[in-house]
Amino acid sequence: MRVAIDTQPGGAGPNEDWVAGTPTLAVVLDGLSTAGLDTGCRHGVPWFVAHLGSQLVAALAEPSASLATGLAGALERVAALHPECDLSNPGTPSATVAVLREREDFIDHLVLADSPVVLEGHQDFTVITDLRVDEVLPELRAEVEQYETDTADHREALRRFVTAQRQTRNTPAGYWVAAAGPEAADHALVGSTPTEDVRAAAVLSDGASRLVTEYAMATWREVFTTLRTEGPRELIDTVRKVEATDPTGRRWPRYKSGDDASIAFCQW
C-alpha cells in the first residue's frame, strides 16, 4: 500500500490534527476544539493526538490485533502517561479517529466520530463516517451558526455549545470520541472490504472532507482525481481557496473560518 499524507492547520493556532501512514496503515486523528474552556489537562490537544497516534500505530503493527482492541489499548496507555491530570474532566483532550489497514486480502477500517474513510470502488465510492455528533444539541448548534465567525457573539455561542456538548460526550445519549477511557473503542464503526474491490482510499479529517460534505464544491470522484494527480497538499489548498471566498461563514456556517485539514491517500 502506498500512502501519501499531508496536514495543515486551519489558522494561526497549533494544528490539532495528526496523520500517519505506513505500508499497511493510515491513521487520521482530529483533536476536538476546547473553545478556550478548561480541560483538566496541562498538556493540550496537540500533545494528546501526537501520543495517541503514536501509540495506535505501535498497537496496530501486529496484524492480528483488531482495530478496536488496538485503539482501546492505545487510549489506556496515553491515559497512563499523564495521571496527574484530571482525566475525569468532561473536556479532557479528545479526538476523532479514522483508521485504514491492509491485512492479507482485506482492507479494514475503523471510524470513531466524523473523520471519514472513503473507499473508491470500481464503480462508485463508499463513505464510512459516524455522524452521531450532528444529532446532539441542534438548537445550540443553530445558535452558533447564526453568527459570523471570529466575532464575540460567535465565540460566546460556541463556548455555550461546547460546554453543553461535553456533558453528552462519551455517553449513551450523546456521541463517542477517543478521550481518556478505552470503552470509546467499543462504539467505533469497524468493518472490512475485500482488497480486490478497492482501487484507492482516502482517510480524512472533516477539515478536508467538508469540500464535499459541507461545501458541496467537489464530488468524491473529483477529490480522488486531485489526490491521484496532484496529491493531498493540492486538495487542502483547494479547501482553503473555497473558504477564502466565505471568510465570515455566511454561505457555509461553521465553527471557525478554516479548520485543520489532514489527508492520508492510499493506493494499491
Side-chain angles (χ1 to χ4, degrees), residues 29-65:
L29 308 179
D30 181 355
L32 273 64
S33 173
T34 66
L37 298 168
D38 176 62
T39 67
C41 176
R42 65 181 179 85
H43 297 95
V45 174
W47 179 93
F48 176 75
V49 296
H51 284 76
L52 178 59
S54 299
Q55 292 287 347
L56 187 54
V57 169
L60 297 178
E62 172 51 58
S64 64

Side-chain angles (χ1 to χ4, degrees), residues 97-119:
V97 181
V99 179
L100 183 139
R101 181 179 65 183
E102 182 179 35
R103 173 184 55 84
E104 298 175 344
D105 297 326
F106 290 91
I107 305 299
D108 301 330
H109 67 261
L110 177 148
V111 171
L112 186 62
D114 59 358
S115 292
V117 171
V118 184
L119 306 178

Side-chain angles (χ1 to χ4, degrees), residues 25-250:
L25 190 69
V27 177
V28 169
L29 308 179
D30 181 355
L32 273 64
S33 173
T34 66
L37 298 168
D38 176 62
T39 67
C41 176
R42 65 181 179 85
H43 297 95
V45 174
W47 179 93
F48 176 75
V49 296
H51 284 76
L52 178 59
S54 299
Q55 292 287 347
L56 187 54
V57 169
L60 297 178
E62 172 51 58
S64 64
S66 76
L67 299 187
T69 299
L71 175 57
L75 288 168
E76 287 184 320
R77 287 188 290 277
V78 173
L81 293 175
H82 58 148
E84 74 280 10
C85 296
D86 179 11
L87 303 183
S88 66
N89 187 304
T92 192
S94 56
T96 73
V97 181
V99 179
L100 183 139
R101 181 179 65 183
E102 182 179 35
R103 173 184 55 84
E104 298 175 344
D105 297 326
F106 290 91
I107 305 299
D108 301 330
H109 67 261
L110 177 148
V111 171
L112 186 62
D114 59 358
S115 292
V117 171
V118 184
L119 306 178
E120 181 187 27
H122 297 289
Q123 300 296 329
D124 54 13
F125 296 84
T126 301
V127 181
I128 305 154
T129 188
D130 175 4
L131 299 178
R132 281 174 284 189
V133 64
D134 290 348
E135 301 171 5
V136 175
L137 306 169
E139 299 85 0
L140 288 177
R141 183 189 305 275
E143 183 182 356
V144 176
E145 293 178 346
Q146 72 176 310
Y147 298 113
E148 294 186 350
T149 58
D150 299 320
T151 63
D153 287 338
H154 184 274
R155 287 190 292 271
E156 182 56 34
L158 183 59
R159 280 193 290 268
R160 287 194 296 271
F161 177 50
V162 172
T163 298
Q165 195 180 50
R166 286 177 170 187
Q167 302 307 312
T168 71
R169 190 174 295 167
N170 289 354
T171 70
Y175 64 105
W176 295 86
V177 293
E183 65 277 1
D186 295 333
H187 298 271
L189 305 181
V190 295
S192 300
T193 305
T195 304
E196 64 184 10
D197 294 340
V198 182
R199 293 186 62 214
V203 186
L204 313 99
S205 67
D206 71 339
S209 64
R210 63 184 51 197
L211 184 67
V212 177
T213 60
E214 303 295 326
Y215 305 155
M217 295 299 288
T219 64
W220 285 119
R221 189 170 304 281
E222 290 168 338
V223 163
F224 273 68
T225 296
T226 298
L227 290 172
R228 188 172 277 114
T229 58
E230 304 292 338
R233 174 61 63 89
E234 178 62 24
L235 186 65
I236 294 174
D237 287 347
T238 300
V239 174
R240 299 294 178 236
K241 291 173 184 175
V242 168
E243 290 171 339
T245 68
D246 180 42
T248 61
R250 301 315 300 161

